[in-house]
């Protein structure tokens, strides 16, 4: 009998994502379809993707913004009969509308912060859609707890902030049921999006780590949906991320987006490193844009830190209530230098490190005793746990100790505000603070420094100057581990773990000359005021438009189950090779050319024993013994090993080392097809390769008769790739005057004679057949990698030059579904062997030559 957890894993693996708790059937929201088809097709989880070529009936673009929470506030009416809703002006989702085109309609999908009774959910949904253009996703209580407080806050949040679950009390061990709840919650969000989406007109912008697998659910339905994702927290280094048991599922889900955004290059670099190390994907930078090639699609990588909403801050600054609070605070801290800190109660905010740095500053610089005050505003915690409780106790003890040691009547060096502070009051504190200190040990962005800079500037420069009777100035001490740090070049950056260094930075900040403070402030204000939230959203949307502009010009196929699902962008004529079709054409033909690659085509790449099986020998022998067939194995391997392995196949032709050596049968002598038989260049190339081999663990040199190959498949992916690039440049430089070509392939760098390739030898085979009066009327060419693409490419030129007849039946076939110059594909070597066996079985017994001849 299977356990429930095991059956859940089977569900996930098969693509049947379970919705835990089975909520009651809800009334669907009204929606307008702009693609042909029946709506019920989209309501069926296993429906095919909508990929209509029909033009949309809508003219106006619309964007659907999906996040964990809607940008609305909900409150029970006093009579407890229904709800009242209002916009949450502090929500980033609401503020980003300022950067979108004015004519663009914005629709929100997300959850509410309150529990709504199932009986009321339909009415609430309709009200929010009509009044706010919001679509609520109602999560059943059991899913909500495991999804948000479980997987999000106890797994993803700590791990993405570099906290590994070494014990059950430290981050929390991986719990499969929490992952299933995360998947189920993402599926519920996808269902709400599907209810209102116009797939060929709408853009979808997904926000943050709560919804990292949502792109897969949406891409399964709509192959060409225009979709972006932005991560608002750090993306950890690959060493940290790879500890996550569901690492590949999340990574592949994110890659179903068209554009993926990060606050800093560090976060993007970590993501790209994970893609390289785990999925073998490499990125390219072209004209300032970073692109990641994934199954024929180019996924954009956007690096843009979010900004603040200038209009909201200026409106608060102009409030009379703020002026009254500023006057009150100035009187309270008269004669004191105020350092301010505003942090959420979180283990990663480094609050106690900052307080200890303040203590160190008072010790090292006694002049600040009775003069400097650290005001620490602590926002309420968003989560819980033993770690948080320990930090809170530690903070309280530190504050008490420091105030007892350095405090005097009327003076407290640490003012700890442990309550919710209104926006107006917080801005008042910003206005009177001489310096803001942020010592988070890891934080996605942190907009506190931005808000402080604008508050110090005031509503206008003239007003600010009149208030302070001097130049506008501000100072920042910020952790180098927060997202806004790279943008604030005038801030004093610190390692918050180094308390002595942080203390010195705080002293430097408040001791600095006013002129220097003013220059730094002006530089920061220019950046913050121009790179606001509208600039950020405008930039992201423009990049999403650019990345998706060719979506409806391409043919796309969705392949794979569960989180292995991806969309492959391929040629419209690309399809799977039908064995019945090729056999019927094979039977009608008289002069056949069959060209087979070896590794990855008839021999799996994963196999350690590279000797062909008895089955392969039997099939190849049967095909080559048919007098109507000219069969060649075209491989990069050496002639000695290929000749030995295929010795039973006496009629088989072999093109070894990419065609440098070839023979038409076992009884023929080897021909040299290269233009040059001098190998003096090896004495130049080999020492260079040895140099890189010695310094690159896991690499090795393969010495062929005509070529040298440096392999780096077993090296560190990042370092091996970097070394290969360096080696390529190095070899091209030292071999510039030699008759050789230096090429980089998949995990290799190869030096070989010029004019040698699988394409060249293929054309030679076709030409020789034509000269012998056996113009091929059937061509089967199969391969799996970059070198085989040269064979596929040469076929079209062979037809145009008359080497092949325009009526020749051509079957250029690649192994695996991927972008290729071939017209057909087979999934793996096993399917290749099955197809070849079918051809061998179809061979006319009368056409078989005497194997003993």
């Amino acid at each position: 009998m299977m356990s429930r957890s095991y059956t859940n894993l089977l569900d996930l693996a098969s693509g049947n994502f379970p919705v835990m708790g089975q909520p009651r059937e809800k009334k669907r929201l009204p929606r307008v379809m702009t693609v042909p088809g029946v709506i019920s097709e989209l309501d069926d989880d296993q429906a095919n993707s909508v990929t209509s070529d029909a033009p949309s009936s809508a003219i106006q673009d619309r964007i659907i913004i999906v996040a964990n929470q809607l940008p609305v506030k909900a409150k029970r009416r006093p009579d407890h009969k229904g709800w009242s809703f209002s916009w949450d002006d502090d929500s980033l989702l609401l503020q980003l509308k300022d950067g979108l085109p004015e004519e663009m309609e914005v629709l929100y999908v997300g959850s509410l912060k309150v529990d709504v009774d199932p009986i009321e959910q339909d009415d609430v949904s309709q009200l929010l859609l009509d009044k706010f253009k919001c679509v609520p996703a109602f999560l059943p209580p059991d899913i909500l707890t495991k999804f948000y407080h479980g997987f999000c806050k106890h797994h993803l949040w700590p791990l993405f902030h570099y906290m590994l679950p070494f014990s059950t009390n430290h981050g929390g061990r991986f719990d499969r049921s929490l992952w299933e709840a995360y998947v189920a919650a993402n599926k519920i969000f996808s269902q709400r999006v599907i209810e209102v989406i116009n797939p060929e007109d709408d853009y979808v912008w997904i926000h943050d780590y709560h919804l990292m697998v949502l792109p897969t659910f949406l891409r399964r339905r709509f192959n060409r949906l225009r979709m972006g994702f932005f991560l608002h927290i750090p993306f950890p280094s690959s060493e940290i991320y790879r500890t996550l048991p569901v690492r590949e599922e999340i990574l592949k889900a994110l890659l179903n987006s068209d554009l993926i955004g990060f606050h800093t290059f560090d976060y993007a670099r970590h993501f790209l490193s994970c893609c390289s190390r785990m999925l073998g994907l490499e990125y390219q930078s072209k004209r300032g844009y970073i692109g990641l090639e994934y199954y024929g699609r180019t996924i954009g990588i956007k690096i843009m830190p979010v900004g603040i909403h200038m209009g909201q801050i200026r409106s608060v600054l102009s409030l009379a209530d703020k002026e009254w609070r500023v006057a009150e605070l100035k009187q309270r801290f008269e004669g004191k230098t105020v350092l301010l800190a505003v942090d959420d109660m979180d283990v990663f905010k480094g609050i106690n490190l900052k307080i200890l740095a303040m203590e160190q500053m008072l010790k090292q610089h006694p002049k600040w005793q009775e003069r400097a005050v650290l005001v620490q505003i602590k926002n309420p915690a968003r989560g819980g746990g033993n770690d948080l409780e320990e930090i809170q106790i530690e903070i309280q003890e530190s504050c008490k100790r420091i105030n007892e040691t350095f405090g005097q009547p009327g003076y407290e060096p640490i003012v700890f505000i442990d309550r919710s502070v209104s926006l107006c009051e917080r801005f008042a504190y910003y206005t009177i603070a001489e310096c803001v200190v942020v010592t988070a040990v890891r934080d996605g962005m942190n907009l506190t420094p931005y808000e402080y800079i604008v508050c110090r500037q005031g509503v206008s420069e003239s007003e600010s100057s009149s208030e302070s009777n001097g130049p506008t100035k501000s100072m920042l001490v910020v952790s180098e581990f927060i997202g806004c740090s790279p943008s604030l070049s005038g801030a004093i950056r610190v390692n918050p773990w180094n308390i002595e260094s942080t203390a010195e930075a705080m002293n430097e900040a408040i001791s600095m000359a006013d002129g220097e403070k003013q220059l730094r402030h002006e530089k920061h204000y220019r950046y913050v005021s121009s790179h606001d939230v509208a600039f950020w959203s405008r930039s992201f949307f423009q990049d999403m438009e650019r990345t998706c502009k060719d979506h409806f010009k391409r043919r796309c196929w969705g392949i794979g189950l569960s989180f292995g699902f991806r969309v492959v962008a391929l040629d419209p004529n690309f399809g799977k090779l039908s064995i019945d079709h090729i056999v019927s054409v094979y039977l009608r033909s008289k002069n056949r050319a069959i060209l087979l690659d070896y590794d990855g085509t008839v021999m799996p790449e994963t196999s350690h024993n590279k000797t062909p099986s008895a089955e392969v020998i039997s099939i190849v022998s049967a095909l080559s013994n048919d007098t109507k067939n000219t069969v060649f194995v075209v491989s990069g391997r050496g002639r000695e090993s290929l000749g030995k392995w295929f010795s039973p196949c006496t009629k088989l032709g072999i093109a070894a080392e990419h065609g440098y050596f070839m023979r038409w049968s076992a009884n023929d002598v080897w021909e040299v097809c290269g233009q040059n038989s001098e190998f003096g260049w090896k004495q130049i190339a080999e020492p260079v390769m040895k140099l890189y081999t010695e310094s690159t663990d896991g690499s090795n040199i393969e010495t062929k008769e005509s070529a040298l190959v440096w392999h780096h498949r077993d090296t560190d992916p990042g370092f091996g790739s970097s070394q290969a690039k360096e080696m390529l440049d190095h070899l091209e430089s030292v071999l510039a005057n030699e008759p050789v070509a230096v090429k980089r392939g998949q995990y290799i760098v190869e030096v070989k004679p010029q004019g040698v390739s699988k394409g060249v030898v293929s054309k030679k085979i076709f030409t020789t057949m034509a000269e012998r009066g056996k113009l091929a009327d059937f061509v089967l060419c199969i391969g799996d990698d970059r070198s085989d693409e040269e064979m596929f490419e040469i076929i079209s030129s062979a037809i145009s030059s008359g080497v092949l007849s325009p009526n020749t039946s051509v079957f250029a076939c690649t192994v695996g579904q991927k972008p290729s110059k071939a017209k057909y594909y087979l999934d793996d070597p096993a399917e290749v062997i099955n197809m070849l066996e079918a051809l061998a079985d179809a061979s006319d017994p009368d056409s078989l030559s005497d194997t003993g001849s």
Side-chain angles (χ1 to χ4, degrees):
M1 179 179 176
M2 288 189 195
S3 69
R4 175 172 173 76
S5 62
Y6 188 66
T7 56
N8 283 341
L9 291 178
L10 292 178
D11 284 338
L12 290 175
S14 63
N16 300 319
F17 302 96
V19 177
M20 300 170 60
Q22 296 298 324
R24 70 182 187 90
E25 186 68 25
K26 297 183 179 68
K27 182 175 70 177
R28 298 285 187 182
L29 291 175
R31 56 197 167 103
V32 178
M33 293 296 297
T34 60
V35 294
V38 182
I39 289 180
S40 61
E41 290 177 356
L42 294 183
D43 294 334
D44 175 12
D45 284 347
Q46 301 303 324
N48 292 329
S49 296
V50 176
T51 55
S52 168
D53 291 319
S56 168
S57 60
I59 299 174
Q60 181 181 7
D61 278 335
R62 183 174 69 166
I63 189 167
I64 300 175
I65 295 174
V66 193
N68 181 42
Q69 292 184 337
L70 291 171
V72 295
K73 296 177 182 178
K75 187 184 294 184
R76 249 313 173 188
R77 289 177 182 166
D79 57 5
H80 294 283
K81 295 181 180 179
W83 295 85
S84 61
F85 297 97
S86 61
W87 287 114
D88 182 359
D89 294 330
D90 295 337
S91 172
L92 174 69
L93 304 180
L94 188 64
Q95 296 170 357
L96 66 78
K97 287 175 65 176
D98 290 0
L100 300 175
E102 288 185 16
E103 69 280 3
M104 175 165 275
E105 181 185 357
V106 180
L107 194 68
Y108 294 100
V109 176
S111 63
L112 292 168
K113 297 179 183 178
V114 295
D115 293 327
V116 178
D117 192 282
I119 300 174
E120 302 175 295
Q121 287 178 5
D122 286 340
D123 294 333
V124 167
S125 295
Q126 198 63 54
L127 173 64
L128 286 171
L129 183 64
D130 295 341
K131 301 290 185 182
F132 296 90
K133 293 185 179 178
C134 290
V135 179
F138 298 108
L139 302 181
D142 58 334
I143 289 183
L144 177 61
T145 301
K146 290 184 174 182
F147 156 67
Y148 183 74
H149 299 289
F151 195 75
C152 289
K153 285 300 179 183
H154 279 260
H155 284 323
L156 293 180
W157 179 263
L159 187 76
F160 278 51
H161 288 79
Y162 290 73
M163 179 186 284
L164 292 173
F166 290 116
S167 68
T168 53
N169 294 326
H170 190 70
R173 293 281 166 77
F174 182 78
D175 183 339
R176 179 68 59 174
S177 68
L178 302 185
W179 161 245
E180 291 173 1
Y182 183 83
V183 172
N186 275 249
K187 184 176 182 181
I188 292 172
F189 277 89
S190 75
Q191 290 167 343
R192 304 305 276 172
V193 173
I194 289 168
E195 287 174 358
V196 294
I197 196 169
N198 299 323
E200 296 201 357
D201 299 316
D202 293 345
Y203 290 88
V204 176
W205 187 357
I206 302 167
H207 289 264
D208 223 3
Y209 69 105
H210 315 89
L211 303 174
M212 288 194 292
V213 300
L214 179 57
T216 288
F217 284 110
L218 296 179
R219 188 65 72 192
R220 287 176 73 200
R221 291 302 191 86
F222 312 111
N223 283 353
R224 294 182 293 186
L225 180 64
R226 297 174 292 186
M227 178 166 48
F229 179 92
F230 197 92
L231 185 67
H232 292 272
I233 64 172
F235 195 94
S237 67
S238 64
E239 289 78 9
I240 298 293
Y241 180 79
R242 283 184 291 159
T243 64
L244 186 64
V246 288
R247 59 192 189 178
E248 287 195 15
E249 290 88 333
I250 290 177
L251 207 59
K252 289 177 179 178
L254 288 174
L255 291 173
N256 276 315
S257 305
D258 295 302
L259 182 67
I260 306 173
F262 302 91
H263 286 306
T264 71
F265 176 69
D266 268 354
Y267 304 160
R269 180 168 54 85
H270 295 157
F271 173 77
L272 293 170
S273 176
C274 288
C275 290
S276 173
R277 290 173 177 275
M278 294 165 52
L279 303 178
L281 304 179
E282 297 298 332
Y283 74 91
Q284 289 184 336
S285 184
K286 187 176 181 181
R287 296 186 178 179
Y289 297 108
I290 298 176
L292 196 62
E293 290 296 322
Y294 188 58
Y295 289 97
R297 296 167 54 235
T298 300
I299 299 157
I301 303 298
K302 177 70 173 176
I303 302 166
M304 176 61 68
V306 72
I308 56 175
H309 193 278
M310 295 293 293
Q312 182 198 33
I313 294 180
R314 284 172 175 155
S315 64
V316 174
L317 289 175
S318 63
L319 294 175
D321 186 45
K322 178 257 179 184
E323 298 302 321
W324 171 79
R325 289 180 182 276
V326 169
E328 182 187 48
L329 292 175
K330 282 184 175 180
Q331 182 179 0
R332 177 182 174 185
F333 295 106
E334 186 177 4
K336 304 293 189 295
T337 298
V338 176
L339 296 96
L340 178 66
V342 182
D343 300 284
D344 293 339
M345 188 61 239
D346 190 292
V347 296
F348 303 108
K349 300 302 181 183
I351 296 175
N352 197 49
L353 295 175
K354 182 191 308 145
I355 291 170
L356 294 177
M358 179 68 179
E359 179 183 33
Q360 182 69 19
M361 188 187 79
L362 295 176
K363 287 179 180 178
Q364 293 294 112
H365 304 278
K367 64 179 180 179
W368 292 116
Q369 295 178 19
E370 299 188 48
R371 289 177 55 200
V373 176
L374 173 64
V375 177
Q376 173 67 63
I377 298 174
K378 189 206 81 170
N379 298 323
R382 299 183 186 181
N386 296 334
D387 290 322
L388 202 58
E389 293 173 6
E390 292 174 7
I391 290 289
Q392 286 177 313
I393 293 171
E394 189 179 336
I395 290 170
Q396 291 168 0
E397 290 175 350
S398 296
C399 290
K400 183 180 178 182
R401 183 187 69 253
I402 295 169
N403 284 337
E404 286 177 353
T405 303
F406 297 100
Q408 298 292 336
Y411 170 70
E412 271 189 334
I414 308 291
V415 177
F416 193 78
I417 302 176
D418 190 5
R419 58 176 172 82
S420 295
V421 173
S422 68
L423 199 62
C424 194
E425 184 178 359
R426 187 168 88 233
F427 284 11
Y429 273 105
Y430 285 146
T431 305
I432 62 107
E434 190 71 18
C435 175
V436 155
V437 184
V438 182
T439 55
V441 295
R442 192 70 60 180
D443 208 350
M445 187 59 194
N446 200 314
L447 295 175
T448 296
Y450 288 14
E451 293 177 344
Y452 167 65
I453 290 162
V454 177
C455 288
R456 288 291 285 182
Q457 183 71 17
V459 179
S460 67
E461 291 190 23
S462 58
E463 180 182 323
S464 176
S465 297
S466 63
E467 282 183 0
S468 60
N469 297 319
T472 305
K473 59 187 188 295
S474 64
M475 274 307 298
L476 294 166
V477 174
V478 299
S479 165
E480 63 190 59
F481 302 121
I482 65 175
C484 67
S485 175
S487 307
L488 300 170
S489 56
I492 301 175
R493 300 189 183 100
V494 296
N495 172 5
W497 297 102
N498 188 334
I499 292 170
E500 291 79 8
S501 175
T502 305
E504 286 303 317
M506 292 163 68
N507 172 63
E508 181 185 353
I510 56 180
S511 302
M512 192 175 288
D514 285 352
E516 180 65 19
K517 290 180 182 178
Q518 182 185 5
L519 289 173
R520 295 185 183 220
H521 168 82
E522 289 171 353
K523 184 178 184 180
H524 288 159
Y525 182 74
R526 282 194 301 271
Y527 176 83
V528 172
S529 59
S530 60
H531 291 71
D532 60 356
V533 67
F535 178 88
W536 169 75
S537 62
R538 185 184 308 114
S539 179
F540 188 90
F541 180 72
Q542 288 172 349
D543 270 22
M544 187 155 57
E545 279 187 310
R546 178 185 54 79
T547 305
C548 302
K549 64 181 170 59
D550 294 329
H551 264 31
F552 300 108
K553 299 177 184 177
R554 298 183 301 184
R555 289 283 183 179
C556 299
W557 282 262
I559 60 174
L561 296 174
S562 186
F563 291 111
F565 178 86
R566 66 269 188 198
V567 168
V568 182
L570 301 167
D571 186 278
N573 298 318
F574 187 78
K576 189 161 187 176
L577 181 60
S578 165
I579 293 180
D580 290 341
H581 175 55
I582 192 173
V583 167
S584 67
V585 177
Y586 179 86
L587 289 171
R588 294 196 303 269
S589 56
K590 295 181 180 179
N591 295 311
R592 311 173 187 124
I594 300 175
L595 277 56
L596 308 174
D597 174 43
Y598 186 70
D599 291 284
T601 301
V602 295
M603 173 58 64
E605 286 283 7
T606 54
S607 176
H608 289 285
N609 181 8
K610 296 299 184 180
T611 305
S613 65
E615 180 187 22
V616 170
I617 293 294
S618 173
I619 293 169
V620 172
S621 183
L623 287 171
S624 58
N625 285 334
D626 189 328
T627 56
K628 293 181 180 179
N629 295 344
T630 300
V631 184
F632 266 83
V633 170
V634 184
S635 172
R637 286 190 173 272
R639 58 177 172 172
E640 184 178 344
S641 55
L642 290 174
K644 179 181 177 182
W645 290 341
F646 287 100
S647 57
C649 309
T650 56
K651 300 296 182 181
L652 175 68
I654 296 176
E657 299 191 16
H658 296 296
Y660 184 84
F661 298 107
M662 73 175 292
R663 73 179 187 193
W664 286 81
S665 71
N667 297 325
D668 293 323
V669 296
W670 288 98
E671 301 175 37
V672 176
C673 302
Q675 299 171 357
N676 195 304
S677 57
E678 295 294 326
F679 297 103
W681 55 265
K682 283 189 176 182
Q683 297 175 4
I684 304 173
E686 194 167 17
V688 174
M689 286 187 166
K690 283 183 177 178
L691 179 69
Y692 284 86
T693 303
E694 289 170 4
S695 59
T696 312
D697 188 38
S699 66
N700 65 281
I701 301 171
E702 179 188 0
T703 303
K704 298 180 180 179
E705 289 183 70
S706 68
L708 290 174
V709 187
W710 187 73
H711 295 267
H712 62 96
R713 181 182 292 275
D714 297 327
T715 66
D716 175 272
F719 184 55
S721 178
S722 173
Q723 290 288 79
K725 185 176 182 299
E726 288 294 324
M727 180 190 285
L728 186 72
D729 293 341
H730 194 160
L731 288 171
E732 284 179 340
S733 174
V734 298
L735 297 171
N737 298 320
E738 300 294 329
V740 294
V742 184
K743 291 192 174 182
R744 187 176 173 189
Q746 191 172 17
Y747 300 112
I748 66 164
V749 175
E750 183 172 22
V751 185
K752 61 183 181 180
Q754 289 176 346
V756 174
S757 74
K758 289 186 177 182
V760 172
V761 76
S762 299
K763 189 170 184 179
K764 181 178 177 64
I765 293 169
F766 299 146
T767 303
T768 304
M769 287 179 66
E771 291 171 350
R772 293 178 179 178
K774 298 180 67 176
L775 184 69
D777 57 1
F778 173 97
V779 173
L780 171 61
C781 184
I782 314 178
D784 74 304
D785 66 14
R786 231 180 264 177
S787 63
D788 300 306
E789 294 295 317
E790 296 170 343
M791 287 198 293
F792 306 147
E793 192 173 15
I794 206 69
I795 291 173
S796 57
S797 65
I799 293 174
S800 62
S801 63
V803 176
L804 291 176
S805 166
N807 298 321
T808 301
S809 298
V810 176
F811 295 89
C813 179
T814 187
V815 182
Q817 294 184 53
K818 58 181 180 289
S820 171
K821 294 182 176 70
K823 186 178 178 179
Y824 300 99
Y825 73 88
L826 289 171
D827 286 326
D828 50 41
E831 286 198 354
V832 173
I833 293 169
N834 288 339
M835 184 271 297
L836 293 175
E837 185 177 25
L839 296 183
D841 291 343
S843 289
D844 184 354
D846 296 334
S847 300
L848 297 179
S849 61
D850 182 4
T851 57
S853 61

